[in-house]
Amino acid sequence: MNKLLIALVGVLFFSVVGVQGQSATNARVDKAEGRIYGPLFVTISGKERKITEEAQQAWILSGGSYVVYSSSDGAGGYENEGQSLHLYDVRTGKQKRIMSEYFMVETVEEVLTSKKKRALLVTLEDGGLGASYVAVVDPTRGEVFFRRWARMLSRKGDTIVLGRYHEGDWDKLMTEGAKVRPYRTERYNLNSLLLRRVIVNKRYPE
């Protein structure tokens, strides 16, 4: 009996260790020709696993503990181009939507602040004007900051600097080599932004 109990405890121990030790090492979206969305496959501890049927881009975060991916269930917007961000927890297999926007997600960057808080710096763009937008997402709660017609100019430590532009600037900004000065620059502390209320965008048009 004692040997059986010891063996059972050993199996449970290694099972728990195995789950805790899981990490994502690769993510790929299998898009059919002419499609912008497709199934997302993530390699976890050497084995590929399908995470969702519909993703466009994916980013591996926190050394493989999480995967963030963009999908089509955004908040609508121009020609329904708005996208969402979903966070997949590699260890638990659970996932949740952490952002729903009116624009298309371009890039996601994970930042660890001086207070050991994680922030996702998200850049977006629209398909009409071609303008850029900046969002900050708390991966545990959701989107906490958004700026329209803005670009990320720099980040140093906890401070991000954004440039704000007028509607007429975007044609010039999309021209290779063109230099356009922002009409205003704004500085924000990420730790302060992470304390803000979560932004919940209503679907538009309904």
Side-chain angles (χ1 to χ4, degrees):
M1 180 65 69
N2 289 338
K3 291 183 179 180
L4 180 60
L5 180 60
I6 292 173
L8 181 59
V9 170
V11 169
L12 290 174
F13 173 78
F14 285 111
S15 296
V16 171
V17 171
V19 170
Q20 292 179 338
Q22 286 185 340
S23 62
T25 54
N26 186 61
R28 68 178 181 91
V29 179
D30 189 14
K31 300 176 188 176
E33 187 175 353
R35 299 272 298 174
I36 64 172
Y37 296 103
L40 169 62
F41 295 90
V42 176
T43 302
I44 300 171
S45 299
K47 295 182 179 180
E48 195 169 64
R49 182 184 304 173
K50 183 191 287 188
I51 303 305
T52 182
E53 288 288 349
E54 193 165 76
Q56 185 185 32
Q57 298 187 79
W59 298 264
I60 296 174
L61 307 178
S62 299
S65 295
Y66 302 93
V67 176
V68 164
Y69 65 88
S70 57
S71 192
S72 61
D73 56 334
Y78 174 76
E79 294 187 346
N80 200 34
E81 69 182 8
Q83 293 185 329
S84 59
L85 279 181
H86 294 252
L87 181 75
Y88 175 79
D89 188 323
V90 172
R91 291 166 293 185
T92 66
K94 295 180 179 180
Q95 53 184 302
K96 61 181 178 178
R97 187 169 64 177
I98 56 174
M99 186 185 80
S100 180
E101 265 297 344
Y102 302 111
F103 310 101
M104 299 175 288
V105 176
E106 285 297 301
T107 64
V108 175
E109 179 187 359
E110 183 182 41
V111 174
L112 186 65
T113 73
S114 60
K115 293 186 177 181
K116 306 303 179 184
K117 301 293 184 180
R118 291 188 300 132
L120 304 184
L121 307 183
V122 184
T123 62
L124 307 99
E125 72 172 27
D126 64 53
L129 182 61
S132 295
Y133 307 80
V134 176
V136 175
V137 176
D138 178 342
T140 65
R141 298 190 300 129
E143 184 179 6
V144 293
F145 174 83
F146 178 83
R147 273 295 176 269
R148 178 175 180 258
W149 296 351
R151 279 185 168 182
M152 186 84 64
L153 300 181
S154 66
R155 181 183 70 84
K156 186 175 182 180
D158 296 335
T159 302
I160 59 173
V161 179
L162 306 184
R164 303 291 302 278
Y165 297 89
H166 294 294
E167 182 177 2
D169 291 334
W170 295 102
D171 280 339
K172 302 172 187 176
L173 285 164
M174 288 188 292
T175 302
E176 187 175 353
K179 294 183 179 180
V180 180
R181 295 187 65 180
Y183 71 86
R184 184 167 75 228
T185 58
E186 299 173 351
R187 295 175 181 270
Y188 297 95
N189 182 278
L190 289 174
N191 287 311
S192 297
L193 293 182
L194 290 172
L195 297 176
R196 293 191 177 190
R197 295 176 62 181
V198 171
I199 298 169
V200 180
N201 291 317
K202 294 182 179 180
R203 186 165 182 82
Y204 176 83
E206 294 183 356

